[in-house]
Amino acid sequence: MEPVTVEAQAALVAAMAATTVAYAAYTVAADAWGRRGATGVVRCGPAVPKVAITFDDGPSPHYTPALLELLDQTGAKASFFLTGRAAAAHPSIVRRIAASGHTVGVHTWRHRHAWLTAPWEVGRDLTRCAAVVGSLTGQVPRWFRPPWGTFNLATLTCPGRLGQRIVLWSVNSEDWRYDATPGHICEQVGAGLGQGAIVLMHDGCPRPGAGDRMLAALPRVIEQCSRAGLQPVTLDEMFEGEA
């Protein structure tokens, strides 16, 4: 077996360096741009006396029906970012969400981190999720939220081609934390409430007890909104009239 030449070693190192740079541009750089400055990524609403409470990772057969009951009782409207896999498994809950007047958005098919998703997978994943959500609600989904709020180059560009706006949040309830309590959730939300706030919560978080903590905190969160003079509305209502 002939020894590896210096030239071959240099070529290998150069190829590895180029691959690393390309991956960093696709993931880390795109993620930083998406979170902090990318045009078209919604982070909060207009300065109007409204707040958008949003729920990720559902629908959950254990928590979403109870959540919908609470919203019905208070008259609050919300927005749900569903994974395609969960939506396909629980179609009646998806139909109920839409029938109750809430906005339904796309949260990818399987909730995979953007840094682990190849560019050719992103379009297929979003298209598949949007097709299921659209067929169950009768409406083409207008909103997309990337799992964990992370980006790659494809998740920055693909949603727009599908007619979806990318939305993050301005208030993180931290209901997903293992050590979160209903009181902590309310403190987190209260500290960030303001006109046009977009609140992140979860009805499908797999961590034990997360859904129970969310349900316990939600009535107080809605009360906080009321005391602040903010009406809980859907994302469609908050951005009504905008292109």
Side-chain angles (χ1 to χ4, degrees):
M1 184 175 181
E2 296 184 2
V4 179
T5 65
V6 174
E7 291 78 6
Q9 291 178 344
L12 178 60
V13 170
M16 292 175 63
T19 300
T20 301
V21 170
Y23 179 76
Y26 177 70
T27 56
V28 179
D31 187 56
W33 179 236
R35 289 173 185 256
R36 299 174 187 174
T39 302
V41 177
V42 176
R43 298 169 183 83
C44 63
V48 293
K50 298 178 181 179
V51 58
I53 304 176
T54 66
F55 297 91
D56 284 10
D57 302 350
S60 162
H62 304 292
Y63 298 113
T64 308
L67 167 58
L68 291 171
E69 289 289 343
L70 281 174
L71 293 173
D72 285 344
Q73 291 169 10
T74 60
K77 298 299 180 184
S79 301
F80 292 77
F81 289 93
L82 310 182
T83 65
R85 185 160 50 185
H90 307 290
S92 62
I93 300 179
V94 179
R95 294 190 186 99
R96 181 179 172 187
I97 293 171
S100 298
H102 306 294
T103 290
V104 182
V106 171
H107 201 44
T108 73
W109 180 263
R110 51 186 172 159
H111 202 272
R112 193 177 187 190
H113 197 288
W115 293 14
L116 303 176
T117 309
W120 57 85
E121 293 180 301
V122 172
R124 182 176 59 196
D125 186 281
L126 296 187
T127 300
R128 188 181 181 191
C129 184
V132 169
V133 169
S135 67
L136 293 174
T137 64
Q139 298 179 348
V140 177
R142 295 179 51 201
W143 301 93
F144 165 67
R145 175 174 286 162
W148 295 288
T150 59
F151 292 91
N152 58 40
L153 280 176
T155 56
L156 276 173
T157 58
C158 187
R161 294 197 297 269
L162 296 175
Q164 300 166 7
R165 296 183 70 180
I166 303 171
V167 58
L168 296 180
W169 55 86
S170 60
V171 181
N172 188 343
S173 71
E174 295 190 351
D175 58 352
W176 47 268
R177 287 178 44 167
Y178 285 109
D179 60 346
T181 63
H184 173 79
I185 294 169
C186 293
E187 289 176 4
Q188 287 295 115
V189 174
L193 273 184
Q195 292 193 353
I198 299 176
V199 180
L200 170 67
M201 302 187 78
H202 298 80
D203 63 326
C205 180
R207 292 184 175 178
D212 295 314
R213 295 190 291 271
M214 177 275 295
L215 289 175
L218 183 59
R220 293 167 58 185
V221 167
I222 294 174
E223 183 180 348
Q224 287 175 305
C225 295
S226 178
R227 289 201 303 266
L230 302 172
Q231 179 186 5
V233 299
T234 68
L235 286 168
D236 288 339
E237 292 173 297
M238 178 171 281
F239 290 91
E240 186 176 10
E242 291 192 14

